[in-house]
DNA sequence: GTCTATAGGCTGATAGAC
DNA sequence: GTCTATCAGCCTATAGAC
């Protein structure tokens, strides 16, 4: 699979350029392999040669399409953050019970990390642990928008008398933190348990999501009289 | 503070070596600066020149004292893991109520991350996210020993009828994960909130520890009749 | 658009004086 | 034990052919 041509988007319809294979496919292949490698090893440990080789393209094309290694990285982080916010923000107008809205939010984060964007938690954590050196103001607003959903939902739950008067920030961090940690470290657990001859299976992501849903729901509920 | 001589341990009492300043102090200075830098930037992003400069010693001494950059890193990770296990393992023989033992375990992790070893969560997370490439079998046993404490405590709680029949692995991961995430990302929040003109203060670590204690206690408790 | 070849800079490690 | 000087290797980015 040295040349994986796919996803011919409809740009410049009918016009085939003189030489080369497909600019859009090259771009996508670079984004895909770079996302995986950055998540696994971090920005500095990945070389543009690694990315180009895994994508099956020449390394000079990273400069041509993205203007360098750093801007390739920035593009990836921005798109990942954006996708999360787009999925979560509609919950601000969800009229269901606050407990149900939080369950849904947890499910969305879990689904994103499980299937569509498995590298998101690690890239997010790496960036945040480094102090966010690659983040611009636009990207920095995204986490706040996710928090806003949690904050409003919790405020509504407290007002309606179904949640204890918990701190929304602490609740948000425990909710997001337990999920991000789980998915960021899932590969490690799988590798360790496969290497050891233990009969223990690594925990299923779906089970963990349900566990967090229950933990948060019970942890926030008001005391029964 | 170009030459921070401190902590003259009692090795080779009375015998001062011919030249140089103090081998033990040099070693400690290198460990200290390397721990901070590795936690902030990760193994690959840190150069031996960075470490040596921050420690105020010559970079060739890293090879003399530790045998290279990698072995310096391994020494740090091993000591951090070891310190956590030493503190947590006595809880296996703690006769208090299971809920109290878990509260104590959470408090220990929080205290370690707050004061003694503030770089531990980030170093742990970085290593695990990378798949543990620098860990040997000895270090890999440490996380299992922490989990054993949680597993036994939860089993006792279920048996005594005070905990729901929760999965010990999922509970352990949510407990450790929410704490590690919080402390690994605390620097980022502080920096962001200082930069923005927001009047919001970053959440206090002590408050977060209590929040997790309550969340776990309530989340595991059996339903009241 | 894509490729080869190479420039220019930085890295970890070491040899050898003191 | 500590330092200076130096090396070989690898990195990103670019120039220029096609």
């Amino acid at each position: 699979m040295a040349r994986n041509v796919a996803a011919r988007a409809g740009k410049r319809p009918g016009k085939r350029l003189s030489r080369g294979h497909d600019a859009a496919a090259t771009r996508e292949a670079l984004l895909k392999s770079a996302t995986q490698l950055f998540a696994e090893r971090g920005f500095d440990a990945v070389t543009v040669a690694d990315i180009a080789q895994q994508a099956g393209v020449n390394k000079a094309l990273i400069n041509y399409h993205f203007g360098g290694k750093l801007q390739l990285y920035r593009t990836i982080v921005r798109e990942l953050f954006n996708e999360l916010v787009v999925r979560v923000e509609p919950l601000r107008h969800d009229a269901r019970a606050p407990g149900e809205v939080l369950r849904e939010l947890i499910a969305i984060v879990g689904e994103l990390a499980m299937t569509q964007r498995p590298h998101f938690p690690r890239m997010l954590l790496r960036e945040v642990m480094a102090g966010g050196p690659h983040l611009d103001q636009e990207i920095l607003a995204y986490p706040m928008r996710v928090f806003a959903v949690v904050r409003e939902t919790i405020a509504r739950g407290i007002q309606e008398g179904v949640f204890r008067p918990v701190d929304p920030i602490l609740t948000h961090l425990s909710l997001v933190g337990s999920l991000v940690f789980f998915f960021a470290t899932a590969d490690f657990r799988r590798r360790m348990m496969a290497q050891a001859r233990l009969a223990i299976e690594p925990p299923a992501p779906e089970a963990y999501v349900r566990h967090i849903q229950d933990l948060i729901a019970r942890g926030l509920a008001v005391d029964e009289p």
Side-chain angles (χ1 to χ4, degrees), chain A:
Chain A
M1 49 166 245
R3 196 72 51 176
N4 184 356
V5 178
R8 301 180 176 256
K11 296 184 178 179
R12 294 186 296 280
K15 187 173 180 183
R16 194 81 276 134
L17 287 159
S18 54
R19 284 248 278 135
H21 298 281
D22 190 323
T26 297
R27 216 185 120 91
E28 284 305 310
L30 283 171
L31 282 172
K32 184 178 174 183
S33 63
T35 303
Q36 182 195 328
L37 289 169
F38 282 143
E40 284 174 358
R41 308 182 203 167
F43 183 81
D44 296 279
V46 174
T47 70
V48 292
D50 294 336
I51 299 169
Q53 188 189 3
Q54 179 153 334
V57 305
N58 190 278
K59 73 189 174 111
L61 295 176
I62 289 173
N63 290 289
Y64 179 80
H65 283 288
F66 298 96
K69 183 186 178 183
L70 178 60
Q71 286 173 267
L72 168 59
Y73 180 87
R74 280 204 174 112
T75 303
I76 292 168
V77 173
R78 187 178 295 111
E79 288 186 2
L80 288 175
F81 267 99
N82 185 61
E83 185 153 6
L84 174 65
V85 170
V86 163
R87 297 262 232 123
V88 160
E89 219 156 36
L91 292 179
R92 295 180 76 162
H93 312 294
D94 194 313
R96 281 178 289 180
E100 284 305 306
V101 174
L102 284 189
R103 283 191 116 89
E104 179 71 15
L105 186 144
I106 293 168
I108 289 173
V109 175
E111 194 187 341
L112 199 73
M114 256 184 276
T115 59
Q116 284 99 350
R117 303 293 171 194
H119 303 294
F120 181 49
R122 275 184 293 181
M123 292 219 40
L124 167 73
L125 257 185
R126 283 188 187 284
E127 186 62 31
V128 168
M129 283 196 297
H134 311 298
L135 305 182
D136 53 29
Q137 286 300 326
E138 177 200 352
I139 301 179
L140 282 173
Y142 286 148
M144 285 298 180
R145 289 163 69 183
V146 176
F147 169 60
V149 178
V150 175
R151 176 170 44 76
E152 292 172 12
T153 306
I154 288 176
R156 187 158 67 88
I158 295 173
Q159 194 196 348
E160 294 179 1
V162 294
F163 286 167
R164 294 187 291 130
V166 292
D167 183 310
I169 299 181
L170 301 181
T171 306
H172 174 249
L173 290 176
S174 59
L175 190 161
V176 172
S178 55
L179 288 172
V180 168
F181 175 88
F182 178 87
F183 288 104
T185 59
D187 259 28
F188 174 77
R189 280 190 299 278
R190 187 156 37 75
R191 228 177 287 186
M192 287 305 106
M193 291 184 177
Q195 175 195 315
R197 299 294 174 74
L198 299 176
I200 311 172
E201 285 293 309
E206 299 85 355
Y208 188 76
V209 169
R210 283 194 299 273
H211 175 80
I212 297 299
Q213 285 176 326
D214 292 346
L215 204 61
I216 296 289
R218 289 169 176 268
L220 298 193
V222 294
D223 298 314
E224 295 296 334

